[in-house]
Each structure stands twice: as structure tokens, then as C-alpha cells.
Amino acid sequence: WGALKTLGGMAAPAGSCVWHVVGCEWTLKDWALRQGWNGRSISQEIASGILVGSLGVLQAHFGL
């Protein structure tokens, strides 16, 4: 839970992306198509950036 909180929780793009893509094994494309913020969809390119950034935050969180 601490790692998810570090990503901003489930309501944040980073937390939601990691939860669904890494934890639930959704494809990044599926997550991007299902997810949206402020009524706007997310492109696969932006979703990819969210995932890469989130993994960087997790790397720092776990001290790797």
C-alpha cells in the first residue's frame, strides 16, 4: 500500500496505471482505452510515459 500511496493512490494516473498494468496484468493499451481524466482519453504514448515515470518512482521508493 505504501508504494501505491507514493504513486498518488488509485485515483492518480500513476497509481491506476501500475495497479492495472503491473498488478492486474492489463495491457497498456487496454488501460489507456478504459482510463481517462477530466473526460479526456489517454493516448498510448501518454500511457507509456505514465508507466515509465511510475516505474522510476517505484525504483526510488524501494531504493533500487
Side-chain angles (χ1 to χ4, degrees):
W1 180 245
L4 191 58
K5 283 180 59 177
T6 298
L7 295 172
M10 285 294 297
S16 176
C17 182
V18 169
W19 179 268
H20 290 100
V21 175
V22 176
C24 298
E25 299 181 2
W26 288 10
T27 66
L28 190 58
K29 181 179 179 179
D30 285 341
W31 178 77
L33 290 172
R34 295 179 189 189
Q35 194 60 54
W37 274 270
N38 297 324
R40 300 168 71 189
S41 62
I42 296 174
S43 71
Q44 283 187 267
E45 292 81 10
I46 291 173
S48 178
I50 291 170
L51 180 60
V52 169
S54 301
L55 294 175
V57 171
L58 288 178
Q59 181 182 15
H61 175 77
F62 288 111
L64 302 173

